[in-house]
Amino acid sequence: MALDLLSTAAPRSAGPPPVADRAAESRASHWARAIAARLLRLLLLLTAVAAASFALMAASPVDPVSAYVGADLAAIGPEQRAQIAERWGLDDPPLQRFGTWLSHIVRGDLGQSHAFNQPVADVIANKFLTSLALMAVAWCFSGIIGFTLGLVAGVRRGRWADRVITWWAYTLSSAPTFWVGLLLLYAFSVSLQWTPICCAVPVGSVAGEVGLLDRLHHLLLPALTLSLVGIAPVVLHTRQAVAVAMASDYIAFARAQGERTLGLVVHRVLRNAAGPALLLQFSSLGELFGGSVLAEQVFSYPGLGAATTTAALGQDVPLLLAIALFTTVFVYTGNQLGDLLHGWIDPRTRRLEAAP
Amino acid sequence: MGTTVLAVTLGVAFGLVASACTAGVDGGAGGQGAAGGVVGSSSAPKELRLAIGGESEDGYDPTLGWGRYGSPLFQSTLLKRDADLKIVNDLATKHTVSPDGLVWTVDIRTDAKFSDGTPVTAADVAYTFSTASKSGGLTDVTGLSQAVAVDNDTVELRLKRPQSTFVNRLISLGIVPKHAHGKEYARKPIGSGPFKLVQWDEGQQLIVQRNDSYYGTRPAFERIVFTFTGEDASLAAAKAGQVSMAAVPSSLAKTSVPKMRLVPVKSVDNRGLMFPYQPDTGKKTAAGLPIGNNVTADKAIRQAINQVVDRQALVDGVLEGYGSPATGPVDGMPWFEPSSAIQGNDAGKAKELLESAGWKDANGVRERAGVKAAFTLLYPAGDTTRQGLALAVADMVKPIGIQITTKGVSWDVIDKRLHADAVLFGWGSQDPTELYNLYSSGSAGVGYWNPGYYANPVVQKNLDAAMSATDQDEATKYWKAAQRDADGNGFGPSGDAAWAWLVNLQHTYYVSDCLDIGKPQIEPHGHGWPITAGITGWRWTC
């Protein structure tokens, strides 16, 4: 029945009930149309993001050549600056540069990164793999910890557990990520020396020597820091959903039938509370990405976030544009997935949508 | 009951984290790796770990600028500077310059090999220079017109115009192998230097291994690991005993780190006050920016400020002691002329200068012909050191009747006002090209070079003579004369006082008590690894 979720684009045709194969055919066309609609939306979004990002960068007062030359200002003459500008194709007017860039993108060529002296696609592929590990763990942390705490708070509403958790959630949501990161770094890495100071792998180890445990060890603190971004909203929304469910008539009825709290939670509340939590979790991918920029900077963790900072400071237009596009696809996919899963877990939202 | 719920859900949570989430982690082969060298152990470690920042994000290709600070590690250069900045041979055995200064002939040693086993030939040197001259990277070899390998161990570098400072390219440009230089080279460098690249984890660390076929001094450490942490994390790593050397900004240099000492290294990383040199006659640059300032165009004002500024107080107060007074852009370099400096600070002399130039006191600020002795000093707003210097200087000149209004602005604003307002700049290089660019009238208004439109024909003659000299000692003689010559002409404080140089910073490093790094060179302004210039001589003493 997963197909039905996608039927927002076209209402079912009225008229005589169709025979089986015609129903399948119409479902298939719904599928196709729905996917096409979503892809079209993504395409429009990407175009808008690309144009806006490029306009912002063209309007930026930072000169890419000066940013690249930096401290070597004294030694780099006008002739050499011209060579740099030529290597990067900065001589053309902005609109023409955008056109060239766009035509390359259409052909699948993301261009060459100035800052990393490497094809943009390679840079993103390398950095994103590292970031993915970090973001995946942080995302799981924030989802699971947030949902669990929200569940506990909702079930124990008004009691001390609820008060402590709610207070903690509010504190987290008002604390800046990098600051929390620095505190954790100081506490666990410098004072206690339980966790490493930097990087995704142990200092001095060559690739073959690095085990999974090493990687997890290095991932732990940045991931924990990053997960803090997403925990608070999940806690608070889950708590609310659980509280509403716990106060409902069907819970009162089940309780009257003799069902215990654990059973109530597992059989009746979980599903209700999971919907909003999932939707939030998937729509938080954008914030996760933003948070990773800060977390990676604090922990010298070499992911896409750190690369974004480098690209922005160096006015590395091809890389920055590609990262903007990549982030858009990433966040859009997250939102769509959240939408789908929400509908699947809580069919009521699906029926509402499907109604003509 | 509530606790049961908590226990169950938490159990589920951790199970899920352990199973589902590790899917995103790329599992490397092998178990727990051997940690390598032990820092601070009783015997000399095989591995040295350094947190001195400065990752070369675009790779390790000298033709794009890698190795211009310190040692290029993987490659060797034709010449190098020793601890006293004297030029000595490296890959070269001899170099001569033709009488017209246009042809540099370099003989290279025949026993040098690239790390892939092939010998280093004159063809490789010629290839390196001609590639770098067209590369659009961070090394300026545009003075070269042609590089020719005359025979197997002799190369001729033909220049477009005489350029004595071209020697700095021979010092900083690492030689790459012609046969193995391509797109991939920046990430897989091959060279004839003291180290080989083992692994570069971008944004994290660089691991290098001693090159056993290196012809020069054999490094004491088998492996060196450079970690690319931020300043705070570098200090944290030093405190946690994870590195043997950490570069920190002087603001963080006040803490004590167990088993480490603070090593302040002299630099020509200087800060100074640039004066617009021309009077304001309504002239504008081609881009329409105003040129000139009627107050700073007066030599008496510039000299008085140079006289009254207490440079040692700036070092103590603003740099917290990590620096030295600066009287010129090249303090301590072989081509520095000490007599161009003025010693100490003398308010009386400064007042005398102003009086005799006709600047009369009127309510605390001097005036001459209706013009107040007042001007604006710009500094980049985010830079606290420059802010401190600007404010302190404004305070120091107040008692002699000069009014400086300091303004913290963006570089964008400085770019528009730098020919008409005084600006607090920072420079510093081991290459006297900078000296030329800062004071030559030909570079007036080019980028940040000579923004004040300084021009003095006598100084210009000396600068040009230094540039076209065919012998480094002769060039040095003229560089010195440009600062102050026998007749007292020069751009220095005792002459035109075109700038008021204030301080040279010191770069601060925490170094393990067991690590002997010898005598470090005077470091340039910049963000590379100047401290590594003598890395092959570093020794473990515990």
Side-chain angles (χ1 to χ4, degrees):
Chain A
M1 287 312 285
L3 306 187
D4 275 358
L5 348 162
L6 296 165
S7 56
T8 46
R12 233 161 279 193
S13 56
V19 284
D21 58 334
R22 271 194 59 197
E25 195 180 298
S26 97
R27 266 190 213 155
S29 75
H30 280 152
W31 243 108
R33 252 185 280 174
I35 288 181
R38 276 170 205 247
L39 281 181
L40 186 70
R41 258 158 67 193
L42 178 61
L43 201 66
L44 287 175
L45 189 64
L46 285 177
T47 318
V49 165
S53 310
F54 192 88
L56 278 175
M57 274 175 251
S60 155
V62 182
D63 169 30
V65 176
S66 293
Y68 176 64
V69 169
D72 292 294
L73 216 59
I76 303 285
E79 220 176 315
Q80 186 69 18
R81 289 179 76 97
Q83 278 190 359
I84 297 172
E86 192 193 323
R87 171 157 77 106
W88 292 347
L90 298 176
D91 294 338
D92 307 327
L95 260 183
Q96 191 183 332
R97 278 169 55 206
F98 187 59
T100 319
W101 177 80
L102 212 57
S103 70
H104 283 228
I105 286 281
V106 171
R107 277 178 273 148
D109 172 17
L110 290 172
Q112 182 87 5
S113 160
H114 305 165
F116 295 95
N117 184 29
Q118 226 185 351
V120 166
D122 292 0
V123 176
I124 293 189
N126 293 340
K127 309 276 174 189
F128 184 63
L129 268 185
T130 323
S131 275
L132 191 64
L134 173 67
M135 289 200 280
V137 173
W139 191 74
C140 292
F141 271 168
S142 72
I144 293 165
I145 298 175
F147 186 66
T148 312
L149 291 178
L151 211 55
V152 173
V155 173
R156 315 284 299 167
R157 195 151 88 126
R159 315 277 271 276
W160 65 266
D162 174 39
R163 266 182 268 154
V164 169
I165 291 171
T166 318
W167 172 82
W168 193 58
Y170 282 128
T171 311
L172 280 189
S173 60
S174 49
T177 317
F178 73 93
W179 183 73
V180 175
L182 280 176
L183 283 187
L184 291 177
L185 187 72
Y186 188 77
F188 291 102
S189 298
V190 179
S191 297
L192 297 171
Q193 306 204 0
W194 288 353
T195 46
I197 304 265
C198 86
C199 316
V201 291
V203 170
S205 295
V206 292
E209 298 172 351
V210 183
L212 183 63
L213 274 177
D214 285 329
R215 286 178 194 271
L216 280 178
H217 188 210
H218 282 77
L219 199 60
L220 192 67
L221 218 50
L224 198 65
T225 308
L226 184 52
S227 71
L228 297 183
V229 180
I231 285 186
V234 176
V235 169
L236 296 173
H237 279 85
T238 308
R239 172 179 176 272
Q240 187 60 23
V242 171
V244 168
M246 290 298 281
S248 66
D249 290 346
Y250 64 86
I251 291 289
F253 181 69
R255 215 188 267 281
Q257 299 275 348
E259 186 147 13
R260 299 167 60 181
T261 307
L262 182 61
L264 285 176
V265 169
V266 172
H267 296 125
R268 307 184 197 277
V269 176
L270 264 185
R271 203 171 161 108
N272 281 316
L278 266 178
L279 197 62
L280 264 176
Q281 203 40 26
F282 278 94
S283 58
S284 73
L285 286 180
E287 286 157 45
L288 196 65
F289 216 97
S292 78
V293 174
L294 296 173
E296 289 180 12
Q297 215 60 36
V298 171
F299 292 96
S300 314
Y301 198 85
L304 202 53
T308 311
T309 317
T310 310
L313 289 177
Q315 281 283 303
D316 186 347
V317 176
L319 181 57
L320 216 47
L321 281 181
I323 289 177
L325 294 187
F326 183 79
T327 318
T328 310
V329 174
F330 186 72
V331 173
Y332 184 83
T333 313
N335 286 346
Q336 297 300 320
L337 274 177
D339 211 22
L340 284 176
L341 281 171
H342 191 213
W344 174 66
I345 286 208
D346 193 347
R348 285 172 303 173
T349 53
R350 206 190 330 161
R351 265 183 228 123
L352 273 176
E353 264 184 65
Chain B
M1 265 195 307
T3 39
T4 338
V5 177
L6 190 70
V8 168
T9 37
L10 279 182
V12 171
F14 286 116
L16 277 173
V17 170
S19 59
C21 301
T22 51
V25 184
D26 171 25
Q32 293 274 84
V38 184
V39 175
S41 77
S42 55
S43 62
K46 287 182 175 171
E47 182 179 291
L48 194 62
R49 294 176 181 175
L50 314 173
I52 52 176
E55 179 175 24
S56 176
E57 268 136 358
D58 58 0
Y60 303 95
D61 185 347
T63 65
L64 287 175
W66 159 245
R68 64 196 183 280
Y69 300 114
S71 163
L73 296 177
F74 314 115
Q75 297 89 6
S76 45
T77 51
L78 295 175
L79 304 172
K80 61 182 177 190
R81 286 191 194 277
D82 64 10
D84 300 315
L85 301 178
K86 273 210 227 45
I87 296 168
V88 293
N89 285 332
D90 189 347
L91 207 50
T93 53
K94 197 181 103 187
H95 74 279
T96 52
V97 186
S98 69
D100 61 1
L102 288 175
V103 182
W104 292 53
T105 311
V106 186
D107 287 346
I108 60 165
R109 59 197 303 154
T110 47
D111 60 343
K113 280 194 171 81
F114 290 113
S115 50
D116 66 355
T118 50
V120 182
T121 65
D124 294 308
V125 177
Y127 170 81
T128 303
F129 274 81
S130 51
T131 306
S133 74
K134 294 177 230 121
S135 71
L138 289 178
T139 181
D140 190 339
V141 195
T142 49
L144 183 82
S145 82
Q146 208 184 5
V148 183
V150 181
D151 58 39
N152 218 20
D153 55 7
T154 314
V155 69
E156 262 184 32
L157 305 167
R158 298 174 190 157
L159 306 192
K160 293 174 187 164
R161 55 194 108 70
Q163 187 188 352
S164 65
T165 58
F166 192 74
V167 74
N168 291 293
R169 298 290 83 75
L170 275 62
I171 289 164
S172 62
L173 185 58
I175 303 304
V176 302
K178 188 179 177 185
H179 67 272
H181 186 256
K183 271 202 158 149
E184 294 289 296
Y185 183 83
R187 285 181 156 66
K188 294 184 177 65
I190 290 172
S192 50
F195 293 97
K196 290 189 284 193
L197 178 89
V198 175
Q199 182 177 314
W200 176 27
D201 297 326
E202 286 179 44
Q204 307 182 74
Q205 60 173 348
L206 175 73
I207 306 177
V208 303
Q209 177 91 30
R210 181 167 64 200
N211 176 9
D212 285 322
S213 55
Y214 177 55
Y215 55 83
T217 316
R218 190 180 146 90
F221 303 92
E222 261 176 42
R223 251 195 198 184
I224 296 185
V225 180
F226 297 85
T227 61
F228 305 125
T229 42
E231 287 164 347
D232 292 306
S234 293
L235 184 59
K239 284 190 167 177
Q242 295 184 0
V243 293
S244 300
M245 180 190 276
V248 294
S250 54
S251 56
L252 293 181
K254 286 287 174 193
T255 53
S256 74
V257 177
K259 291 184 194 157
M260 290 185 118
R261 63 188 193 278
L262 185 76
V263 178
V265 177
K266 276 190 180 178
S267 81
V268 278
D269 192 345
N270 48 34
R271 301 290 179 268
L273 209 154
M274 185 282 304
F275 296 116
Y277 189 80
Q278 305 290 336
D280 180 7
T281 54
K283 232 176 93 181
K284 294 217 154 63
T285 64
L289 304 177
I291 299 175
N293 184 310
N294 289 330
V295 177
T296 59
D298 189 65
K299 187 170 164 177
I301 295 274
R302 297 194 305 268
Q303 280 189 334
I305 293 174
N306 264 296
Q307 273 291 353
V308 78
V309 168
D310 184 349
R311 296 176 169 86
Q312 189 58 46
L314 294 176
V315 169
D316 296 337
V318 182
L319 304 183
E320 303 192 47
Y322 295 114
S324 58
T327 49
V330 292
D331 284 36
M333 308 304 281
W335 43 90
F336 174 57
E337 174 52 59
S339 75
S340 71
I342 43 163
Q343 298 304 324
N345 62 307
D346 189 341
K349 224 178 205 170
K351 278 186 191 159
E352 236 169 73
L353 278 167
L354 292 173
E355 286 290 339
S356 57
W359 292 96
K360 298 279 175 253
D361 203 343
N363 298 326
V365 181
R366 288 173 189 270
E367 275 187 32
R368 184 176 73 180
V371 179
K372 272 190 164 186
F375 62 92
T376 305
L377 170 60
L378 305 177
Y379 63 89
D383 188 329
T384 49
T385 304
R386 295 191 204 199
Q387 179 184 39
L389 290 171
L391 292 173
V393 168
D395 272 351
M396 284 173 178
V397 301
K398 211 170 166 189
I400 61 164
I402 296 177
Q403 188 185 50
I404 298 181
T405 312
T406 57
K407 266 192 197 165
V409 294
S410 67
W411 279 109
D412 205 25
V413 174
I414 294 177
D415 290 347
K416 294 193 172 71
R417 297 290 311 171
L418 79 175
H419 310 308
D421 285 332
V423 181
L424 223 141
F425 274 112
W427 292 91
S429 165
Q430 293 177 343
D431 178 349
T433 308
E434 182 178 299
L435 199 67
Y436 185 89
N437 291 335
L438 285 183
Y439 292 103
S440 157
S441 41
S443 47
V446 178
Y448 290 121
W449 298 348
N450 191 4
Y453 280 70
Y454 173 72
N456 179 335
V458 182
V459 172
Q460 188 67 41
K461 233 176 90 189
N462 282 322
L463 289 174
D464 288 333
M467 196 50 120
S468 54
T470 56
D471 175 79
Q472 291 302 321
D473 291 335
E474 193 174 291
T476 299
K477 198 178 87 195
Y478 286 116
W479 291 129
K480 288 186 169 196
Q483 294 160 68
R484 183 189 169 91
D485 63 16
D487 308 324
N489 287 308
F491 62 69
S494 61
D496 292 328
W499 287 56
W501 291 95
L502 303 172
V503 293
N504 294 302
L505 311 186
Q506 278 176 348
H507 295 161
T508 40
Y509 299 87
Y510 280 106
V511 181
S512 163
D513 287 335
C514 292
L515 182 64
D516 174 15
I517 57 167
K519 181 188 169 195
Q521 286 180 351
I522 298 179
E523 298 186 353
H525 178 107
H527 308 283
W529 292 337
I531 191 81
T532 60
I535 197 166
T536 52
W538 293 6
R539 293 290 177 266
W540 197 257
T541 56
C542 292

